[in-house]
Amino acid sequence: MSGTLVLVRHGQSEWNLKNLFTGWRDVDLTELGHAEAKEAGAKLKARGLKFDIAFTSSLIRAQKTCQHILDAVGQSDLETIRDQALNERDYGDLSGLNKDDARKKWGEEQVHVWRRSYDVPPPGGESLKDTGARVWPYYLHDLQPHVLRGGTVLVAAHGNSLRALIMALDGKSGEEIVKLELGTGVPVVYKLNPDSTVASKEVLQGA
């Protein structure tokens, strides 16, 4: 029996809108972000998906996205596990800075390296490789067993924590995964075989 894993990046946050490096800073969703999360739930409801358990990060923007989705599919009280292992990448000294201001301070090339390289962290922060080092073991020990038992699992998290998961699931290289763009509030639905390999993947874009 195959299981289902649904990954959703949180809806637009207040700092997404302001073009700020967010990382572990606990900022809320914008009005659009709430709408994106509700729309994600509507898409999943239209597919007839019901979840056995949900996982999210310790950050409010992901938690609210998760709750909007569960409300939409009629599972408001579903067991939901919150863990900082699924938190966004920690941007360290860049956190709270406008991305344009960061480029002025450190230079376009250096900021690009910090944002888009796989294994070079910003000062005081994490690289995508570092993020994967906490996300992937958590997936293997806490999430994957539910899926391999044939369950349907929701993960509402962040762009980089989900990139780390997708890198492993899709077998992408570090160079490939940093180029992957994940839309806010766009569900990615995986079907996994009993041996944990991917049977199918669908990105639920559009209305």
Side-chain angles (χ1 to χ4, degrees):
M1 177 186 291
S2 63
T4 303
L5 176 67
V6 177
L7 309 180
V8 186
R9 181 186 175 193
H10 63 78
Q12 183 193 63
S13 76
E14 293 170 345
W15 282 16
N16 289 147
L17 181 61
K18 294 176 180 178
N19 199 35
L20 305 179
F21 286 100
T22 311
W24 284 44
R25 299 290 182 88
D26 204 8
V27 301
D28 208 340
L29 297 175
T30 62
E31 185 175 342
L32 174 60
H34 285 288
E36 288 175 333
K38 292 173 183 177
E39 178 62 22
K43 291 174 185 176
L44 295 167
K45 181 181 180 181
R47 296 301 177 97
L49 283 170
K50 289 287 185 180
F51 299 102
D52 296 295
I53 192 169
F55 292 85
T56 188
S57 75
S58 67
L59 301 171
I60 195 70
R61 58 193 185 273
Q63 293 173 10
K64 288 189 174 181
T65 297
C66 185
Q67 192 60 53
H68 280 315
I69 292 171
L70 294 178
D71 291 345
V73 300
Q75 293 185 283
S76 299
D77 297 328
L78 185 72
E79 179 185 3
T80 301
I81 309 297
R82 299 173 178 179
D83 198 290
Q84 68 179 24
L86 293 173
N87 278 17
E88 176 58 293
R89 173 185 169 192
D90 184 354
Y91 279 103
D93 294 352
L94 300 183
S95 299
L97 291 180
N98 182 282
K99 293 172 184 175
D100 292 332
D101 291 341
R103 293 185 186 100
K104 291 175 186 174
K105 182 173 182 177
W106 284 289
E108 177 85 35
E109 184 175 344
Q110 180 62 72
V111 172
H112 181 76
V113 168
W114 287 333
R115 290 190 69 198
R116 292 303 182 187
S117 67
Y118 175 62
D119 56 3
V120 180
E126 295 178 308
S127 66
L128 182 55
K129 183 178 180 180
D130 295 329
T131 306
R134 60 176 162 83
V135 170
W136 188 240
Y138 183 72
Y139 169 76
L140 288 175
H141 294 123
D142 292 78
L143 280 75
Q144 189 185 71
H146 294 279
V147 183
L148 298 187
R149 289 195 294 266
T152 300
V153 175
L154 171 64
V155 180
H158 306 265
N160 284 300
S161 54
L162 294 179
R163 279 189 184 93
L165 272 183
I166 290 169
M167 178 180 178
L169 289 166
D170 291 3
K172 291 184 178 294
S173 67
E175 185 176 321
E176 290 171 325
I177 199 63
V178 294
K179 297 175 183 176
L180 175 68
E181 294 296 334
L182 287 174
T184 50
V186 177
V188 182
V189 182
Y190 283 91
K191 293 284 188 181
L192 297 188
N193 296 312
D195 65 357
S196 80
T197 58
V198 174
S200 67
K201 174 186 178 182
E202 183 180 9
V203 180
L204 304 187
Q205 298 275 16

